[in-house]
């Protein structure tokens, strides 16, 4: 499995914790930046990760900004992306189980690294439940098909 990770300066503090989870599991991490705490624009890193997921260069993505909000909004503008901003293990689990989220977004000014690591683990370990959720996720794709050029 390959996972792309992208962040801005507000989320970079979580990156080493995400990296350790992936390394411990033998998952290849594609680090799409940023690489220091200089101020950058989160949409640039959202786009890199979202395109890699959308084009199936990687299996999933993790994106990090101050709140997880801006970077997830930007990632969700790419067709095929279901980026979920989560703040705890329950939402990280549910975004996999019910929403089949292919990108997990977290906020470096909201949660600490240990929490982020637990969230990544449960997101990776939770399969999509399918069933009644399959049609609901398909309806998200229908909205994309209606409005995306
Ligand atoms: C950057 O200061 C901050 O706005 C960004 O990391 C993020 O929180 C935006 O949603």
């Amino acid at each position: 499995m390959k996972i792309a990770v992208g962040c801005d300066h507000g989320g970079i503090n979580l990156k080493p914790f995400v990296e350790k989870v992936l390394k411990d599991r033998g998952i290849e991490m594609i680090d799409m930046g940023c690489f220091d705490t200089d101020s950058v624009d989160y949409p640039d890193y959202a786009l890199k990760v979202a395109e890699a997921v959308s084009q199936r260069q990687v299996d999933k993505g993790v994106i990090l900004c101050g709140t997880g909000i801006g970077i997830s909004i930007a990632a969700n503008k790419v067709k095929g992306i279901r980026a979920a901003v989560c703040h705890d293990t329950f939402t990280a689990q549910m975004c996999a189980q019910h929403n089949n989220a292919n990108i997990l977004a977290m906020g470096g000014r909201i949660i600490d690294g240990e929490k982020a690591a637990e969230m990544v683990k449960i997101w990776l370990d939770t399969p999509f439940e399918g069933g009644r959720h399959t049609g609901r996720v398909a309806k998200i794709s229908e909205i994309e098909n209606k409005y995306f050029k």
Side-chain angles (χ1 to χ4, degrees):
M1 182 184 284
K2 275 190 199 175
I3 295 193
V5 177
C7 65
D8 76 353
H9 54 288
I12 195 169
N13 55 317
L14 298 181
K15 185 159 69 169
F17 295 88
V18 174
E19 187 169 15
K20 182 172 186 319
V21 171
L22 302 184
K23 193 175 175 192
D24 288 350
R25 291 177 171 223
I27 296 170
E28 185 180 350
M29 169 171 149
I30 313 296
D31 189 343
M32 302 194 133
C34 67
F35 299 103
D36 58 43
T37 54
D38 290 351
S39 183
V40 292
D41 298 331
Y42 59 81
D44 297 338
Y45 299 92
L47 182 61
K48 287 174 196 277
V49 173
E51 284 184 334
V53 174
S54 176
Q55 294 167 9
R56 301 187 192 285
Q57 294 159 10
V58 296
D59 299 285
K60 295 168 190 274
V62 175
I63 51 178
L64 313 161
C65 70
T67 58
I69 297 171
I71 204 161
S72 61
I73 291 172
N76 279 315
K77 299 301 179 190
V78 175
K79 190 167 182 173
I81 295 306
R82 291 179 304 280
V85 56
C86 296
H87 299 320
D88 51 38
T89 52
F90 179 69
T91 47
Q93 178 186 338
M94 295 311 290
C95 81
Q97 193 173 322
H98 284 190
N99 314 117
N100 203 12
N102 49 14
I103 295 185
L104 176 65
M106 298 179 288
R109 296 173 186 159
I110 306 284
I111 57 169
D112 63 21
E114 283 77 21
K115 174 75 77 180
E118 289 310 306
M119 291 167 61
V120 171
K121 286 180 198 168
I122 201 159
W123 174 65
L124 290 174
D125 288 342
T126 303
F128 178 51
E129 191 177 297
R132 69 190 187 280
H133 301 292
T134 302
R136 294 167 185 166
V137 172
K139 286 189 177 189
I140 297 173
S141 302
E142 286 172 22
I143 295 170
E144 284 181 342
N145 292 334
K146 183 173 178 184
Y147 287 101
F148 279 46
K149 295 294 172 211

